[in-house]
């Protein structure tokens, strides 16, 4: 196992940070690494907003469901799917942009995610840590207003980055067999794999919570998906100008 | 600049491969690194299919728009957004899954992308190279049938991986300023940034093609988005059971 693979496989979400700020060089290394991720046909259909303003971080922490580490981290990155920049390019060439389809929505969302994963890997390679914040989709309209996003841009997720002030356990994943299929998809193995993972996660939660948390993965999924999650997203995205024809 | 950041920033898409196969250990390192990427609330809403069967790779190469490197690479990974495994978990807990929203579609698409970026970084760290293949969305229904995907699973993109048999130039990205905003989004800088990038890309294309290719980024975007791209995606996704309420 080489150093890079060791780094990737040692990822933990960090939610407690020291007060130390990132240097300009570190921010540049993170963003330029993000930019070198692949992008569909070189469209580069994403933007990254680095929030360091204390009042803005406070508001974003609240909008993300009172996740105080969004306020406490030295820098909070927001990764946006972005068709606005391409629309600008089209206008410079006096061309109307066809943005109304599901395809550019997928492309821009994927572009934002690929860039983000490079960003967190770059950060971790420098001894920094972080956590993705999907919670900014709780109130995506207010987040978009705060960040002054133009039409055809939406915040996919945020990311707290800073120097770790905690050393959490690595959360176990499913067995490789549960995720990986050879040549064709085999759903027949899932019940066995889920039962196995339920046992692994039960032990992990007991260990992490000193015996207080007793649940399994399948219980968590059944609980989470028994009710609508962020049912406002379609309407929000349409308000931002996205279409899904 | 540390080794990891150097690796990330030196990414080039590789489309020519030697005949050398990957070892089982390499495949395991790639998949387990992919699995350690962040996943929204631990849903792990993606699957990876490793295609090594020559006939299947040949068909996939054709379906992806006759991209022959899909056939020629030793292994072709297909990254799928996957709500089917979660649905299985819900059923094991006698719970109906609420999958009909835009939110789980976004979550599963992002999960697949984060895993994929870790996969390619892990591969490159071992001296391998690769390229994302969005072209599998040209005929996503036929791809899904070939891979025997169940409902609530869709192929987001593929990825060729193998030992590089070429040494292409790194493709320049936009300036950092064009992608990165501090605290609030500033669309005012885009015209200048696009003009600058157009010049950079014009030079790059001339160099790469020995003077034969004369185009700019904004021309490419205007050309690409002047007509519908993959207008079948919404209908295809609905046929696979996805909903976007």
């Amino acid at each position: 196992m080489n150093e890079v693979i060791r780094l990737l496989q040692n990822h933990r979400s960090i939610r407690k940070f020291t007060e130390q700020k990132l240097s300009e060089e570190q921010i540049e290394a993170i963003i330029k690494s993000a930019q070198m991720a692949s992008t569909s046909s070189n469209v580069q259909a994403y933007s990254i907003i680095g929030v360091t303003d204390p009042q803005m971080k406070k508001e974003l922490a609240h909008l993300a469901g009172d996740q105080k580490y969004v306020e406490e981290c030295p820098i909070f990155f927001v990764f946006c799917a972005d068709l606005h920049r391409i629309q600008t390019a089209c206008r410079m060439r006096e061309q109307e942009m066809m943005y109304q389809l599901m395809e550019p929505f997928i492309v821009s969302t994927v572009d934002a995610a690929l860039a983000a994963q490079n960003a967190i890997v770059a950060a971790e390679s420098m001894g920094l840590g972080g956590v993705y914040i999907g919670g900014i989709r709780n109130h995506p309209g207010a987040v978009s207003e705060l960040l002054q996003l133009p039409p055809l841009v939406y915040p996919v997720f945020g990311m707290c980055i800073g120097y770790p002030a905690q050393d959490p356990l690595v959360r176990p994943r499913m067995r490789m067999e549960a995720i990986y299929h050879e040549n064709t998809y085999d759903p027949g193995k899932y019940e066995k794999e889920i039962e196995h993972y339920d046992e692994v996660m039960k032990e992990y939660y007991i260990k992490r919570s000193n015996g207080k948390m007793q649940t399994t993965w399948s219980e968590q999924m059944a609980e989470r998906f028994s009710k609508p999650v962020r049912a406002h997203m379609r309407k929000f995205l349409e308000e931002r100008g996205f279409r899904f024809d």
Side-chain angles (χ1 to χ4, degrees), chain A:
Chain A
M1 192 183 289
N2 66 44
E3 286 303 313
V4 176
I5 290 173
R6 193 169 293 125
L7 180 79
L8 296 175
Q9 296 193 6
N10 197 39
H11 167 73
R12 294 90 40 86
S13 290
I14 298 296
R15 296 180 174 86
K16 279 190 185 151
F17 303 97
T18 72
E19 291 191 0
Q20 192 178 342
K21 288 190 168 54
L22 277 67
S23 68
E24 284 302 313
E25 290 71 27
Q26 287 176 315
I27 294 173
E28 188 178 316
I30 290 169
I31 303 302
K32 290 193 170 172
S33 297
Q35 288 188 257
M36 286 309 298
S38 289
T39 157
S40 177
S41 302
N42 200 28
V43 296
Q44 302 177 60
Y46 66 96
S47 280
I48 307 170
I49 304 171
V51 182
T52 52
D53 180 85
Q55 187 56 38
M56 285 184 68
K57 281 193 293 164
K58 193 174 178 174
E59 285 182 51
L60 288 165
H62 178 60
L63 291 170
D66 290 315
Q67 300 196 57
K68 65 180 196 299
Y69 27 97
V70 172
E71 182 179 352
E72 292 165 357
C73 64
I75 189 161
F76 182 65
F77 293 109
V78 180
F79 289 83
C80 301
D82 190 333
L83 300 177
H84 178 83
R85 192 186 304 105
I86 297 169
Q87 191 179 50
T88 304
C90 290
R91 283 182 178 157
M92 287 166 71
R93 296 291 172 177
E94 293 172 356
Q95 180 66 55
E96 275 301 298
M97 181 189 179
M98 288 275 308
Y99 61 82
Q100 298 87 342
L101 296 166
M102 182 61 86
E103 171 70 11
F105 175 73
I106 293 173
V107 162
S108 59
T109 301
V110 167
D111 263 18
L114 300 182
Q117 189 57 23
N118 260 17
I120 200 162
V121 171
E124 290 178 353
S125 79
M126 296 186 285
L128 298 159
V131 59
Y132 282 82
I133 304 292
I136 62 166
R137 296 195 305 273
N138 290 352
H139 297 287
V143 168
S144 302
E145 218 168 289
L146 188 65
L147 301 173
Q148 301 178 24
L149 304 185
L152 296 183
V153 178
Y154 89 94
V156 188
F157 45 73
M159 185 189 288
C160 303
I161 294 285
Y163 282 93
Q166 63 176 175
D167 186 17
L169 297 172
V170 172
R171 186 170 59 190
R173 301 303 200 261
M174 293 203 164
R175 279 199 291 224
M176 176 171 158
E177 294 72 14
I179 297 290
Y180 186 60
H181 304 263
E182 292 183 12
N183 291 305
T184 51
Y185 192 104
D186 172 20
K189 59 187 172 184
Y190 281 168
E191 287 207 17
K192 193 182 105 195
E193 289 297 332
I194 290 168
E195 276 168 15
H196 178 268
Y197 189 54
D198 275 354
E199 288 305 312
V200 170
M201 288 305 285
K202 191 190 247 173
E203 271 182 49
Y204 165 78
Y205 285 126
I206 287 171
K207 199 167 161 189
R208 206 186 67 173
S209 68
N210 291 320
K212 274 173 274 179
M213 195 169 167
Q214 301 236 5
T215 183
T216 66
W217 186 75
S218 62
E219 281 176 318
Q220 288 185 315
M221 293 305 107
E223 164 69 17
R224 182 168 185 84
F225 288 97
S226 64
K227 46 191 188 302
V229 181
R230 295 178 189 137
H232 53 263
M233 282 305 291
R234 168 72 183 267
K235 186 163 173 282
F236 158 72
L237 289 165
E238 289 188 338
E239 283 166 4
R240 305 309 299 175
F242 287 91
R243 294 293 178 272
F244 311 97
D245 297 345

